[in-house]
Amino acid sequence: MRRLVLIAVPYLWLLALFLVPFAIVLKISLSDTALSIPPYAPTLDFSAGWEGIRSFFAELDFDNFVWLTQDDLYWKAYLSSLSIALVSTAITLLVGYPIAYGMARAPEEWRPTLMMLVILPFWTSFLIRVYAWMGILSSEGFLNQLLLWVGIVDEPLTILNTNTAVYIGIVYTYLPFMILPIYAALDRLDGSLIEAAEDLGCSRLTAFWLVTIPLSRNGIVAGCFLVFIPALGEFVIPSLLGGSGTLMIGKVLWEEFFSNRDWPVASAVAVVLLLILVIPIVLFQRNQQKQAEADQ
Amino acid sequence: MNRLSWFNTVSLTLGFAFLYIPMIILIVFSFNESKLVTVWAGFSTRWYGELMQNQAFLSAAWVTLKVAVFSSTIATVLGTMAAYVLVRGGRFMGRTLFSGMIYAPLVMPEVITGLSLLLLFIGIGLDRGVLTIVLAHTTFSMCYVSVVVSSRLVTFDRSLEEAALDLGCSPIQAFGLVTLPIIAPAVISGWLLAFTLSLDDLVIASFTSGPSSTTLPIKIFSAVRLGVSPEINALSTIMIGIVTVGVITASLVTKRASIRQRREEQEAARA
């Protein structure tokens, strides 16, 4: 009995506030836009009995999904989200790996402090960290003042409200997610393996390439997924740092819902985004499982 | 070895400079006299004063705090229960679905979580306000809590609990007297995580809040969309300060606790 309560309370909570809402999104994505409150049709009418339910299901269709393929705004937004997420994941890896490597090679007594320095930005408000870049990247911002003063450029660069700013924003905010799993993998790495490789005639670079990188593979994979998955559906970064030309699906969904008030299309956009995300999520899950098995 | 550590020093210095310089610039310019945020015009705490006069920000901060306290507390209770079920529950009907529902919100884009919850609240006719934000925040942060707590429960030595049961504790007493004190650090960090997630959240709160329940991130977001402002810099500095003090205190407390635990274990081993 006690066990039943223990299971039932969180179970029912998640059913009611996670699964049911998602079923509603799915249902509305199959409905049509209507000028009414709520702004979609059909609505389920139980008072009409079975006849009402049957006519409700008869009116559901895939029109919104067909619409997504017809208007090139949507598939362009999906493609550009994918490419922005991929490119920024790659840059984050390139920036994050040397930091994680340096942390793992740092003296033992520094490591807790370095760890805390990586985690601290993660606890700081996401919105504030994105906002901090607005002041740096604007045309009279800190970066342009510096570049002008040094004399690298003659007139201020336009960085804010471009895709470049979006890349910088994603790399900056998700960097701790990349550093931590790679650091965890490198920290566990047995240093004598590298020594053995060097004794056997590997140069330091070859030893790094043939021993260190393959042995930190799980950390790299985990870090990449932890950056890629949230970056794909990102809303705050493209809307604050990106410009009118920055197309990302999270932003499209938001505008579809709040500006156009087209709930069925917004729901269809959400369903497709989730279908795209299923692939990396499943791969990520598998990587984590493999790692857990390897640890045992 | 020298060449390598030179490389490491450079990468660490550049890396941490990249992580921290934007925030340092933000903090420095919050003490700028000028309304123009990019031109330094002398030290001043003027913007902090104006912030304290700004009724809209203060009431939004109050709403945010209320939401964060309630949602993180409920999320901690539910998340700990869920972790217990996942680690100790054994087999039951729909276990796979349950663990799926725990992990899915962690990777779900916020726009989708927000949209789906809003459509639910409208569907059941619940007026949007503080209550709906609390429900929304509890739902996604309980999953984070349960991940944190279950990682502690997995390494927990079960024989301690069994000993308590053998010595005549009821299961609830055994949980309260043995299990809870041991997993307490994980439960507390779960609560802290839920609390910060709630304080930070913009997207889900935007979907689920009503006109009378604007939270601080919503307020900041709408102000920031118009451009950089010294008042927001001041507000950001206060928030960064609170988080920094909190994280450092928390890490000192856990460090001291782990030292004490190690000492107790050594004494127990000696005795």
Side-chain angles (χ1 to χ4, degrees), chain B residues 231-254:
Chain B
E231 249 181 321
I232 300 287
N233 282 1
L235 182 60
S236 307
T237 304
I238 296 174
M239 287 167 76
I240 292 173
I242 294 172
V243 168
T244 311
V245 171
V247 170
I248 292 175
T249 321
S251 76
L252 288 179
V253 167
T254 41

Side-chain angles (χ1 to χ4, degrees), chain B residues 185-209:
Chain B
V187 174
I188 292 170
S189 44
W191 186 88
L192 282 173
L193 185 59
F195 187 78
T196 15
L197 285 170
S198 171
L199 279 189
D200 261 12
D201 171 63
L202 163 75
V203 176
I204 294 171
S206 300
F207 277 101
T208 52
S209 71

Side-chain angles (χ1 to χ4, degrees), chain A residues 143-157:
Chain A
L143 183 67
N144 271 315
Q145 287 182 16
L146 187 76
L147 291 176
L148 287 170
W149 181 72
V150 176
I152 297 178
V153 294
D154 296 325
E155 49 186 278
L157 301 171

Side-chain angles (χ1 to χ4, degrees), chain B residues 2-17:
Chain B
N2 264 334
R3 204 172 66 92
L4 205 66
S5 47
W6 172 81
F7 175 79
N8 287 339
T9 318
V10 171
S11 65
L12 281 181
T13 315
L14 288 181
F16 284 105

